[in-house]
């Protein structure tokens, strides 16, 4: 299915929580994921979701 990123408005493919979706390969810790769920109504595109993954990586260094 096609979705629109809740952050940037980009259209992207989503398996709607079905196994094998690209988002399974992006690591986001539980506190960051909770924050994203509070801030956004729906999924984020690969680039936006990845930016949060990199953000948490830099905070752990």
């Amino acid at each position: 299915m096609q979705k629109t990123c809740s952050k940037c408005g980009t259209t992207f493919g989503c398996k709607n929580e079905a196994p094998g979706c690209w988002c399974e390969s992006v690591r986001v810790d539980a506190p960051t994921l909770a924050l994203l769920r509070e801030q956004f109504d729906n999924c984020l595109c690969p680039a936006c979701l990845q930016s949060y993954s990199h953000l948490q990586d830099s905070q752990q260094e």
Side-chain angles (χ1 to χ4, degrees), residues 24-43:
E24 292 176 346
S25 66
V26 180
R27 294 183 51 119
V28 179
D29 63 20
T32 302
L33 187 56
L35 179 66
L36 293 175
R37 287 183 173 146
E38 287 178 16
Q39 290 184 343
F40 302 107
D41 294 331
N42 212 323
C43 296

Side-chain angles (χ1 to χ4, degrees), residues 5 8 10-13 22-23 26 44-52:
C5 179
C8 73
T10 298
T11 301
F12 63 96
W22 62 266
C23 67
V26 180
L44 300 183
C45 70
C48 287
L49 186 59
Q50 192 67 40
S51 73
Y52 284 94

Side-chain angles (χ1 to χ4, degrees), residues 12 15 20 33 54-56:
F12 63 96
K15 290 194 175 185
L33 187 56
H54 289 305
L55 178 66
Q56 79 186 20

